[in-house]
Amino acid sequence: MEGEELAAVIGKTHGDVRYMEDDAELVKYLSSNTKKNDVVVFLGSHGFRGMIEETITSLHQQFQ
């Protein structure tokens, strides 16, 4: 199953599901739209090319 298909399946039971192909777009989106106490999940079968670390750093700065 590809990412877009997985997002569509998850979206059937959870309203706010997004699939983003571009790493920088994803980090920017998460940094701008994540609220305190939200849960962010990365799913994949390979490395995340620094996205997790970038997102954590950005959110940590935002919520200090």
Side-chain angles (χ1 to χ4, degrees), residues 1-3 11 14 18 29 38 41-43 49 53 55-56 63:
M1 183 175 292
E2 296 296 322
H14 300 288
R18 301 187 192 290
Y29 176 84
D38 280 355
V41 177
F42 287 84
L43 300 171
R49 302 171 299 276
E53 292 81 4
T55 302
I56 290 170
F63 293 119

Side-chain angles (χ1 to χ4, degrees), residues 13-61:
T13 56
H14 300 288
D16 192 13
V17 176
R18 301 187 192 290
Y19 172 79
M20 293 183 189
E21 187 78 27
D22 182 81
D23 297 359
E25 178 185 358
L26 174 63
V27 172
K28 183 179 176 181
Y29 176 84
L30 291 173
S31 298
S32 300
N33 293 283
T34 302
K35 299 177 292 301
K36 192 169 187 169
N37 298 319
D38 280 355
V39 175
V40 176
V41 177
F42 287 84
L43 300 171
S45 60
H46 61 284
F48 289 99
R49 302 171 299 276
M51 288 185 293
I52 294 173
E53 292 81 4
E54 288 179 48
T55 302
I56 290 170
T57 298
S58 178
L59 292 175
H60 180 73
Q61 292 171 349

